Amino acid sequence: MQYAIAIGRVSSKKQAENNHSLEAQRNSVDKMAKELGVEIIQRWEMAISSKKGKTLNRKDLNEAKLLCRANKNIRYILFDRVNRFGRDAKHLTRYKLDLELDYDVQLIFCDPSQHKLNGTDARAFSKFVEKLSEAEEENEEKGALNKSKNGN
């Protein structure tokens, strides 16, 4: 039997209250697990901001990688969308590649608008990096806007 693990994350109260809620993410990954024919054996769901430079210190990502190392039947880590994975393009690209090359585990993005990011071919990888870079840029723009609002 092949397995999956799932990670859901909200970074703000606004996200938790709209269509990015943990419940909405859970429904999205459950649907994908059913399509893939895998059982989700571990979940992480949290309310935590994803800040550049802090991503690889996230407990969920570190525990997920350890679990993949220990259980060779885990084939997928499911996220609703790339920006729920994080917003640190370089570090998260490395994380993705480590999983694929060292553990034969694929990241799967469950939102239908992001299915084109799934796969191990060059085109899917390129689109993944592009989407991750867009998420990082969006985060930087939000930070600059907040600084200007606060007079910094």
Side-chain angles (χ1 to χ4, degrees), residues 4-147:
I5 54 182
I7 299 177
R9 182 183 66 80
V10 293
S11 57
S12 69
K13 186 177 178 181
K14 182 178 177 183
Q15 283 181 349
E17 293 171 348
N18 68 23
N19 63 348
H20 296 291
S21 70
L22 289 173
E23 181 179 355
Q25 292 177 53
R26 190 177 320 111
N27 291 337
S28 177
V29 300
D30 287 351
K31 182 178 177 186
M32 179 58 77
K34 187 175 181 179
E35 288 177 25
L36 293 169
V38 296
E39 177 185 346
I40 297 173
I41 60 169
Q42 178 72 42
R43 284 183 197 271
W44 289 266
E45 294 180 338
M46 71 220 79
I48 184 171
S49 180
S50 179
K51 294 186 177 160
K52 188 174 180 179
K54 305 273 187 210
T55 302
L56 294 183
N57 293 329
R58 277 180 32 201
K59 184 178 178 183
D60 60 316
L61 295 179
N62 289 320
E63 288 177 358
K65 191 180 272 190
L66 289 172
L67 188 57
C68 290
R69 182 185 305 158
N71 187 336
K72 302 298 183 205
N73 292 321
I74 296 171
R75 289 288 166 247
Y76 307 103
I77 299 180
L78 307 176
F79 293 89
D80 179 47
R81 301 175 60 84
V82 167
N83 62 9
R84 300 303 85 215
F85 177 40
R87 297 174 183 268
D88 188 344
K90 287 181 183 178
H91 290 114
L92 292 173
T93 300
R94 180 180 178 188
Y95 184 89
K96 174 183 171 57
L97 290 172
D98 285 348
L99 285 170
E100 287 181 10
L101 299 174
D102 294 342
Y103 305 113
D104 197 26
V105 173
Q106 185 179 354
L107 300 182
I108 297 289
F109 302 99
C110 304
D111 184 283
S113 70
Q114 297 198 341
H115 286 181
K116 65 186 173 288
L117 308 176
N118 300 333
T120 56
D121 64 329
R123 182 173 302 277
F125 181 73
S126 175
K127 288 186 180 300
F128 163 77
V129 173
E130 181 181 345
K131 190 59 94 172
L132 195 54
S133 296
E134 288 171 7
E136 183 174 330
E137 289 171 10
E138 181 182 293
N139 222 32
E140 289 171 356
E141 289 170 4
K142 284 180 187 176
L145 182 60
N146 287 338
K147 279 185 178 183

